[in-house]
Each structure stands twice: as structure tokens, then as C-alpha cells.
Amino acid sequence: MSGRLSRTRWTGLPRWRQILFVLLGLTVLVAAVVYGRSAAQKPDTCADGVERIDDECIGVNGGGYDFGTREIRAVAQAIKKENDRIAQQPHVTVAMMLPLQSDQPTLRRQMRSDLQGAYLGQRQANAGEGELPRIRLVLANPGRNYGRQDEVVDTLIGMAGSSKDRLRAVTGFNLSLDATEKAVERLTKNGIPVLASRISGDRIANEDDTDGAAGQRFPGLARIIPTNSGAARALADFNGARGRQDARTVLVFDTRQDAYDESLADAFRGIKEAGPAGPAAMPFESPGIYEAGSTGNQFTQIANNICDSPADTVYFAGRTLHLRIFALKLAQQPCGDRHYTIISGSDAASLRQGMSEKDWAQLRGTGGEAKVTVQYAAPAHPAAWSTELKAWRKKWDASHDREPTAAELPQYLTEPKAALDNLNKLIEATLQEGTGLGSVPNLEDSRTMLVYDGLLTIGTALHEVQGDDAEQVPGLRDVGTEWSKLQSRHRVKGTSGLICLTSGGNPYDKPVAVVELDPGQKGRGTLKFVGIGWPTGREQPRNCVIPSRTP
């Protein structure tokens, strides 16, 4: 009845009114479709400046956002607090770029260590009365394995040109990957200075013999740890003849395309060995940085082959996860009473965090002594300077009957020790004032120390460029060209060693801390500092004056 009545009313309307109602209906329908599509296309934001893409929060934020990672919540808030404190003072922005989300607890703890170093470095750089400009720190999440670095680099380029943000440097970069390389290349090609605090791949570095920045692939790039080649030279020098006997050494390397693995394998191949030929290099293939795949089966076969060879020193070019699996597989082999030493690069600095008590027991074996020792070139270790100074004093006392003068003290040890003491005091003061960092910083894995040194280096460059003019805003190019001046009397006294930058922005003869996993007698093992290695074979010169020819 009602339907028939409605049709009667409709057919009874004048034709022009029927057309008008149809047009109005179409207009409403089109508007609804357009609105719905607009709402669907509107970015789903995680926080200010951060967009949700798939299951990740990608973008840049300096307002205390933790990117959904509970472990970094407290330190992200501490950074916000410092940003708020210096907001009304002359300041520029520095971005800390590294992946900030993961479903792996070990990686989340590593993020926290990195950000603790960034915050403490920001605090130290902002400390002095006349130290201007201040640093406003923002966090930049490029996604897993830097997979969304394009979008983040776009944002950072915009911030560099903004009179509000005044972005003057980007730091972080904790993985030597193809995506990292692309990000660094694009940032520097757009005139944005980059300070890489943790990458060691040789491909992400400038040559030192080029004619100025125009000849550099990454103009405005600075690094504060040796490349894999430099670290390999330091390890070879530290180990002496043991690591140079061809018959006693073998290379195990990952064939997966990975800038770090490739660079480290090439570096180990470059070590000059002597004597009869040893076993051929043994490749394996992993599915990804944080994926085991079939590597366990591959390592069992490789370990069998090593057990049948005269080799007892293994140069391992692979990531931390695979290094751990390989070390355990080698320890499981019934090779008699033989002891093996595995030598690897800086990525191994995180190895201890992934070791369980069962793992330590396997490395320890049943004889009370370690079956397998893992040694690597750590970018830093908190015990390095006090241990080396104690050894230096012992030698001095044995041949002198007086105290050394200030000029006679080993500057390459005393200045980094003073810097480390200062960092420890800053950590204590921060905790006492009630500023939470998520945990008490653990310096053993070197992450906090390296990132702290990176912010310290950026702060030094900014203060040197600005000079006495508090109103001046340092230009991008000014900061980028300042790196090579940070040497000699302008050296940076880092906790990881003296930072003296070459014309290509590389650290000259930067020491590495040679560290070993010590299984101990029971329970969880420790990281044992065993000495310092130098890429040139000897310590840095007095005042870190860089010679005209660098190795």
C-alpha cells in the first residue's frame, strides 16, 4: 500500500521536479563517495609527524613519542624534556635516524642503548653557558632495515630548508645496508651533513685522497669508527702471527647481499698471510639479518670440515645472529681437545645480549675451559682505558724512579678515560635528578658510548662554526665542511677514543677494543676486554696531528 502510494506521488510530480530530485540524489551520492574516498586516503597518523604505513609508524618526532616501543618510552620522554628546556634558546635540530620498532626484545634493548647515548650526548653538548647553538633532538624511524628511508629522507630534506626546524645534521645509522647507503647518499647530495656513529661498511665512506668535497661520493659525511678494513688490520696487528698463518686460518662468509658482510669478507681476505695454504673459504647463505633459516644445518657441515682441517682460527663475515649459531655449532663438534677462536667485526658487539645460559654452557664445554672463543673488534669498551693505563704505568714504573710528567702520559689513553669518567658522572647525575632512561645504561656493548660520542662530535662542529656570534645560525655547508677541521687541537675527546677526522671525514687511526666472550666457569659469561688494536699498527700521534700520508 505505502509503496503504491509513493509511486503514485512520484508519477504525479511535474517532470521538472522529478529531474531536480534525481540531480539532488546524484549530488548527495557523489559527495558521499568523494568524502568516503578522502577519508580512506587520509594518512593514519601514529603521532605528530609520524604516519602509519602497513604495521609500522614511519616518520620524525621530537615530542616524546616512543613509536610503540615500550623500551624506549622513558628515554624518548627525556629527550622531549631537554628539547622543551632549550626551546627558547638559539638552537638547531639534529635527527637520530635508525629503526625504532621490532618484535624482538634484544633489538628493542639495543634501540634503548642507542637512544640513551643520544640523549646523554645531547645533554653534554647543551651543557656549557657559551656553547651555542643548542641541539634539539628528533627521532626518525625509517622502518625495518631502513625499508622506508625514502619517505623519512624526504621529511628531513624539508626540515633542513625550514626556518623553523633548521635541521643541521643527521646521525644514527646502526646498520651497513644498501638502504642505509642510499639514505646517506641522498642526504649528503642534498647538502645535509651526516655523522654515522655505528656503521663500519667500507662502501659508506669517502676516499681521503680526493680533491675536496667535490670529488667525494658523500660530501658532508663523517664517521667515528674504523671501516671493516681498518678493524681487520687492527685485529691482525693485535693477534700477530697467530692470525696470519694461512694453514691455521679459514674464512667463513655470508653470500647474502649485505654491505656489512661483503665489506668484512673483503677485509679479512686482505689480511696478508704466510706459510703453507690452509683450507679454502667456506660460504653460507642466510635469509636475512635477523632470520636463521637453514644456517644451522649449513654450519654443522662447515664445522665438520673445519674440524677435519688444521685451522683453529676462523674469520667470520656475518651478522650477530648467525655468528652465535655458528659458534655453538662449532662448539658441539667432537674435535678432540682442540680450541677454536672465531674473529669477527663490530656487529658482534651485540652478541652477548642474545646468549642464554645454555649457550654459555655449550661454549664452555665439559672440560672447564672454553671450547670456542669469540673475539671481535668492538668500537669501544668501558674497561679499555683503565686497563691499558694500568699496563702502561706498570711498564713505566719498571724503568723509571719518578712519576711521569703530564707531557709523558699517553694522551691517547688519558683523554678518552677522562671523557668516559665524565659520561659516567653524567649518567649518575641524570638518574639522581629523577630523569628515567628506561634502565641504567650498560656501556659494555659500546652502543651508548658510540652514539654519545657522535652527538658530542656534532655539538663540537656546531659550536666551532657558530663561534662568538650567538645570533648566527650555522649553515648546512658550514657544518659539513667543519668535520675535517676536527683534528689536532680541535680533536674530539670521545669515550671510544680520540676522534680526529680526515679530509674525507674518516677517523684517523681510531682504536678498536679487542673483546672476547668469556664463558667463565658457570652461569652467564661476560665480555672480556683483552687489548687495543690500531688500524695503522701503532697508537695515534701526539695531539692527533694527522700525517700527510694515511694508510
Side-chain angles (χ1 to χ4, degrees):
M1 182 76 177
S2 60
R4 187 165 58 250
L5 180 60
S6 297
R7 286 194 296 273
T8 302
R9 288 175 178 174
W10 170 258
T11 54
L13 291 173
R15 183 66 175 171
W16 66 270
R17 294 193 68 179
Q18 291 180 3
I19 294 173
L20 178 62
F21 280 127
V22 168
L23 290 176
L24 286 172
L26 287 173
T27 300
V28 171
L29 179 62
V30 169
V33 170
V34 170
Y35 175 80
R37 182 176 297 171
S38 174
Q41 292 177 345
K42 184 179 179 180
D44 180 8
T45 57
C46 301
D48 184 32
V50 182
E51 181 181 348
R52 188 180 302 280
I53 303 177
D54 296 329
D55 62 340
E56 295 185 287
C57 291
I58 307 299
V60 182
N61 180 277
Y65 179 58
D66 62 12
F67 293 83
T69 301
R70 173 175 46 84
E71 285 82 352
I72 69 171
R73 186 170 303 157
V75 70
Q77 286 296 318
I79 290 170
K80 176 186 183 299
K81 181 180 177 182
E82 177 65 8
N83 287 345
D84 292 343
R85 186 185 73 82
I86 57 94
Q88 302 307 315
Q89 302 176 48
H91 67 271
V92 297
T93 299
V94 172
M96 177 74 179
M97 183 173 176
L98 77 164
L100 292 170
Q101 290 176 282
S102 175
D103 56 2
Q104 299 186 39
T106 298
L107 295 182
R108 296 198 297 268
R109 290 193 294 270
Q110 291 174 13
M111 295 170 197
R112 181 173 61 201
S113 292
D114 284 333
L115 295 191
Q116 286 172 342
Y119 166 73
L120 293 165
Q122 179 193 24
R123 281 279 301 266
Q124 185 61 36
N126 288 345
E129 283 296 325
E131 302 291 358
L132 297 174
R134 306 299 193 194
I135 290 176
R136 168 182 174 255
L137 189 62
V138 297
L139 307 183
N141 181 26
R144 296 184 191 92
N145 299 332
Y146 293 82
R148 294 286 183 175
Q149 55 87 15
D150 272 342
E151 293 96 323
V152 174
V153 169
D154 284 342
T155 300
L156 295 176
I157 291 172
M159 292 174 66
S162 163
S163 59
K164 175 185 176 183
D165 291 308
R166 301 186 297 279
L167 179 75
R168 289 300 177 264
V170 180
T171 188
F173 301 105
N174 60 340
L175 293 171
S176 298
L177 302 170
D178 290 345
T180 319
E181 186 176 346
K182 290 175 183 176
V184 172
E185 184 170 31
R186 191 162 162 234
L187 285 166
T188 54
K189 288 294 172 61
N190 279 275
I192 300 174
V194 171
L195 189 291
S197 54
R198 291 196 55 83
I199 52 177
S200 59
D202 288 67
R203 284 187 356 208
I204 312 177
N206 290 319
E207 296 288 338
D208 283 325
D209 57 356
T210 54
D211 184 18
Q216 295 174 352
R217 182 185 173 194
F218 307 102
L221 169 65
R223 306 161 44 99
I224 61 170
I225 65 173
T227 60
N228 283 329
S229 294
R233 288 196 301 269
L235 284 168
D237 174 69
F238 179 82
N239 285 303
R242 184 186 74 177
R244 297 180 184 273
Q245 296 180 38
D246 200 351
R248 295 184 59 184
T249 63
V250 61
L251 172 64
V252 175
F253 66 100
D254 195 344
T255 58
R256 177 178 55 83
Q257 188 176 1
D258 182 299
Y260 170 82
D261 295 343
E262 293 167 354
S263 172
L264 189 57
D266 288 343
F268 286 147
R269 290 188 188 102
I271 295 175
K272 293 181 181 179
E273 296 181 321
M282 301 182 188
F284 70 94
E285 184 176 9
S286 71
I289 297 177
Y290 308 118
E291 300 174 63
S294 67
T295 53
N297 292 333
Q298 297 179 63
F299 289 149
T300 296
Q301 298 174 62
I302 291 173
N304 288 336
N305 293 336
I306 293 174
C307 192
D308 292 342
S309 80
D312 58 11
T313 300
V314 182
Y315 287 110
F316 186 89
R319 293 288 182 174
T320 300
L321 171 65
H322 311 119
L323 171 59
R324 171 183 161 274
I325 298 170
F326 174 71
L328 296 175
K329 290 294 182 182
L330 187 58
Q332 292 168 14
Q333 299 309 305
C335 302
D337 295 329
R338 296 174 64 186
H339 173 269
Y340 292 95
T341 298
I342 304 172
I343 299 176
S344 196
S346 61
D347 195 67
S350 304
L351 181 58
R352 183 177 180 270
Q353 294 185 16
M355 297 284 290
S356 67
E357 286 200 25
K358 182 180 178 181
D359 294 339
W360 286 111
Q362 280 191 273
L363 289 187
R364 191 178 300 123
T366 57
E369 295 184 3
K371 292 183 65 176
V372 173
T373 296
V374 180
Q375 182 190 96
Y376 61 90
H381 191 279
W385 313 120
S386 57
T387 303
E388 291 294 304
L389 267 172
K390 184 177 179 180
W392 185 91
R393 287 300 300 252
K394 185 175 181 180
K395 289 182 179 179
W396 174 273
D397 291 342
S399 57
H400 298 79
D401 58 0
R402 61 176 178 83
E403 288 291 303
T405 65
E408 290 170 326
L409 288 170
Q411 183 188 55
Y412 59 90
L413 299 177
T414 56
E415 291 186 349
K417 183 181 183 303
L420 181 59
D421 290 344
N422 190 60
L423 171 58
N424 281 316
K425 290 176 183 176
L426 179 58
I427 291 172
E428 184 178 351
T430 300
L431 297 176
Q432 285 183 351
E433 73 185 24
T435 299
L437 298 178
S439 69
V440 177
N442 181 357
L443 306 185
E444 271 199 346
D445 69 357
S446 77
R447 290 178 175 274
T448 299
M449 292 171 65
L450 261 293
V451 179
Y452 171 85
D453 285 354
L455 265 292
L456 214 61
T457 303
I458 293 171
T460 302
L462 289 169
H463 302 153
E464 293 283 356
V465 168
Q466 181 150 11
D468 298 327
D469 188 353
E471 300 302 318
Q472 176 189 354
V473 176
L476 289 164
R477 182 173 175 78
D478 292 334
V479 177
T481 57
E482 181 63 25
W483 300 139
S484 63
K485 299 179 183 66
L486 300 183
Q487 55 169 293
S488 189
R489 70 177 58 187
H490 301 292
R491 63 191 178 277
V492 178
K493 300 169 185 177
T495 63
S496 60
L498 300 181
I499 298 168
C500 332
L501 299 179
T502 65
S503 61
N506 300 307
Y508 174 67
D509 198 22
K510 181 74 183 300
V512 300
V514 183
V515 175
E516 292 180 353
L517 287 185
D518 181 10
Q521 298 297 312
K522 63 180 181 178
R524 298 185 63 83
T526 60
L527 291 180
K528 179 182 177 183
F529 170 76
V530 293
I532 287 179
W534 301 94
T536 66
R538 58 170 300 161
E539 66 273 5
Q540 293 162 315
R542 186 74 186 174
N543 290 335
C544 216
V545 177
I546 301 175
S548 60
R549 290 190 299 275
T550 61

